[in-house]
Amino acid sequence: MSMIPFKIGQPKKQIVPKTVERDFEREYGKLQQLEEQTRRLQKDMKKSTDADLAMSKSAVKISLDLLSNPLCEQDQDFLNMVTALDTAMKRMDAFNQEKVNQIQKTVIEPLKKFGSVFPSLNMAVKRREQALQDYRRLQAKVEKYEEKEKTGPVLAKLHQAREELRPVREDFEAKNKQLLDEMPRFYNSRLDYFQPSFESLIRAQVGYYSEMQKIFGDLTQQLDQPGHPDELRERENEARLSELRALSIVADD
């Protein structure tokens, strides 16, 4: 009759205290949340700077299109107005590009570098988990031999199992201690790391909008002709549109 080998299951002994496991899960959970927040912030900052550039480039294109409008050749006042607008839009675009470059250098790049650390951290956690599985497996193996009748062969196997367990236990304990020591330090370091970046972001925005106030203030002074109220302008446009519709070339068939 052949002997059925026993199966190695989970150890009966609680090899990692529940409080330690809770501490580990709490600290690692905070870092996982930080990783997601960092990734999302980097993505949103990139989308924001791309939209800013697209806006100022579009404004410059509109002013250039207006300059090429035949009306500018016929109306000097309109040409002067559009020329002033074109100058303002180009100034805005230049300052916007400067702002975006500053944000890219002082905010987006630091976010990217900070985010690049997480794959190594996650790998360290995976190695700790693998070490824990090995520890549990060998601890269960030791317990199985301890439960058997203490014959010579069983005692030899028990000794061998204990010898296999010792370095695995030490490896896990070292990995576990290192992560429990360093994860809170890494998490707390985010304050000192990101504060200069966020201060730079605020300064870049304040500087940009201060320049925009100057640019559009200058533009307002150049456009000294008072504008028409919205209601009057709408009535005038409707009247002109009615005149155009009355032309035979656009009349309905």
Side-chain angles (χ1 to χ4, degrees):
M1 181 176 178
S2 59
M3 295 182 60
I4 300 175
F6 62 82
K7 296 181 179 180
I8 303 297
Q10 291 297 315
K12 297 178 181 178
K13 178 182 177 182
Q14 183 71 41
I15 60 177
V16 181
K18 291 183 178 180
T19 54
V20 173
E21 198 63 29
R22 282 197 298 266
D23 289 345
F24 183 88
E25 291 175 357
R26 182 187 66 249
E27 295 301 328
Y28 186 48
K30 288 160 61 176
L31 291 179
Q32 287 178 305
Q33 184 180 31
L34 178 60
E35 180 181 14
E36 175 59 26
Q37 291 171 338
T38 302
R39 184 188 301 111
R40 185 167 60 247
L41 182 57
Q42 180 187 344
K43 181 180 179 181
D44 290 345
M45 287 301 306
K46 183 64 167 59
K47 288 171 61 177
S48 175
T49 53
D50 287 347
D52 282 351
L53 285 177
M55 179 274 298
S56 61
K57 297 297 182 187
S58 178
V60 170
K61 186 177 186 306
I62 290 173
S63 64
L64 289 174
D65 289 343
L66 288 172
L67 279 173
S68 64
N69 191 298
L71 183 58
C72 286
E73 300 175 1
Q74 303 169 12
D75 190 325
Q76 185 62 42
D77 290 340
F78 183 65
L79 175 61
N80 293 340
M81 184 183 301
V82 174
T83 300
L85 174 67
D86 182 61
T87 300
M89 294 302 97
K90 288 177 179 176
R91 289 175 63 194
M92 178 185 72
D93 184 47
F95 281 112
N96 193 33
Q97 183 66 63
E98 183 178 330
K99 178 197 69 174
V100 168
N101 289 342
Q102 182 178 350
I103 291 175
Q104 176 69 32
K105 181 179 179 181
T106 61
V107 182
I108 296 178
E109 285 300 325
L111 281 169
K112 185 177 180 180
K113 291 178 180 178
F114 190 82
S116 68
V117 176
F118 287 101
S120 297
L121 169 66
N122 292 330
M123 185 57 65
V125 172
K126 287 182 180 180
R127 287 195 292 265
R128 181 254 190 198
E129 180 61 26
Q130 183 59 54
L132 177 57
Q133 295 302 321
D134 293 341
Y135 183 8
R136 286 173 173 162
R137 177 177 55 82
L138 290 174
Q139 177 64 36
K141 185 177 180 180
V142 167
E143 291 176 1
K144 282 290 184 180
Y145 284 123
E146 287 176 339
E147 293 171 358
K148 285 180 169 292
E149 183 180 353
K150 299 301 186 292
T151 63
V154 168
L155 289 174
K157 290 180 179 180
L158 174 60
H159 175 74
Q160 181 181 356
R162 286 172 174 170
E163 289 297 308
E164 292 176 358
L165 174 63
R166 182 175 51 79
V168 171
R169 180 180 62 244
E170 292 173 353
D171 179 57
F172 167 76
E173 290 174 347
K175 286 180 169 63
N176 190 59
K177 183 179 184 303
Q178 183 181 31
L179 283 167
L180 284 174
D181 288 345
E182 295 185 1
M183 285 193 299
R185 289 165 52 192
F186 180 84
Y187 183 77
N188 292 332
S189 72
R190 75 197 190 284
L191 301 176
D192 292 335
Y193 183 86
F194 282 124
Q195 184 172 341
S197 292
F198 295 150
E199 288 177 353
S200 178
L201 173 63
I202 294 171
R203 285 194 296 269
Q205 297 285 10
V206 169
Y208 172 74
Y209 285 106
S210 296
E211 292 297 334
M212 292 307 99
Q213 184 179 20
K214 295 177 185 176
I215 289 172
F216 286 96
D218 293 344
L219 181 60
T220 301
Q221 292 179 3
Q222 294 179 62
L223 304 179
D224 53 4
Q225 181 179 355
H228 297 304
D230 288 341
E231 292 182 1
L232 176 59
R233 186 176 65 252
E234 289 178 6
R235 288 198 299 269
E236 291 177 347
N237 286 342
E238 283 297 329
R240 294 189 182 100
L241 186 59
S242 295
E243 293 175 1
L244 292 174
R245 286 172 175 164
L247 297 175
S248 60
I249 58 174
V250 296
D252 295 335
D253 294 334

